[in-house]
Amino acid sequence: MKYVCLIYLPEDAPAGTPEVFHQYERLNEDAASQGVLQSGGELAGTGSATSLRVREGKRVITDGPFAETKEILTGFYVFACASLDEALEWAERIPAVAHGTIEIRPLIER
């Protein structure tokens, strides 16, 4: 099963240190070499976001994220894991877990 790990951090979180970047590199290399890493990415800041809603058949486009929150979605991973427990083990290795929240969801594949 594939699990999406959504990375949320406070918008004012400090930039990562070289050590944090190395932790991400190690995670990416380990997950790729074990065949677990399916996808991943870092998202641009909320200032670059555009939100779309359709109301009464008309598009409503606004600048910025969907909602104002204390934590923002900053990136994601998609891991292929045998169980939620395995996905939790990989999610625990995401360096942002020390300062933010990692939301893990099964990916519905059709």
Side-chain angles (χ1 to χ4, degrees):
M1 173 166 268
K2 291 181 183 171
Y3 291 87
V4 177
C5 297
L6 302 170
I7 303 167
Y8 292 91
L9 285 169
E11 191 156 18
D12 60 354
T17 64
E19 175 56 31
V20 170
F21 289 117
H22 291 304
Q23 291 172 0
Y24 276 104
E25 288 174 351
R26 284 192 298 273
L27 169 61
N28 293 342
E29 290 169 3
D30 290 349
S33 70
Q34 294 184 39
V36 174
L37 182 62
Q38 302 293 297
S39 182
E42 182 178 357
L43 301 175
T46 58
S48 67
T50 301
S51 295
L52 170 69
R53 296 167 181 83
V54 176
R55 300 295 183 264
E56 298 178 12
K58 295 185 181 181
R59 293 188 332 169
V60 179
I61 300 170
T62 55
D63 291 335
F66 169 69
E68 302 249 347
T69 62
K70 293 181 181 179
E71 292 185 321
I72 59 170
L73 180 62
T74 61
F76 69 96
Y77 280 94
V78 178
F79 295 125
C81 299
S83 66
L84 175 58
D85 288 336
E86 183 183 354
L88 287 165
E89 289 175 16
W90 283 105
E92 191 172 359
R93 293 186 57 188
I94 299 171
V97 75
H99 303 287
T101 302
I102 310 299
E103 179 181 341
I104 299 106
R105 291 193 205 178
L107 183 64
I108 297 172
E109 297 183 80
R110 297 187 181 166

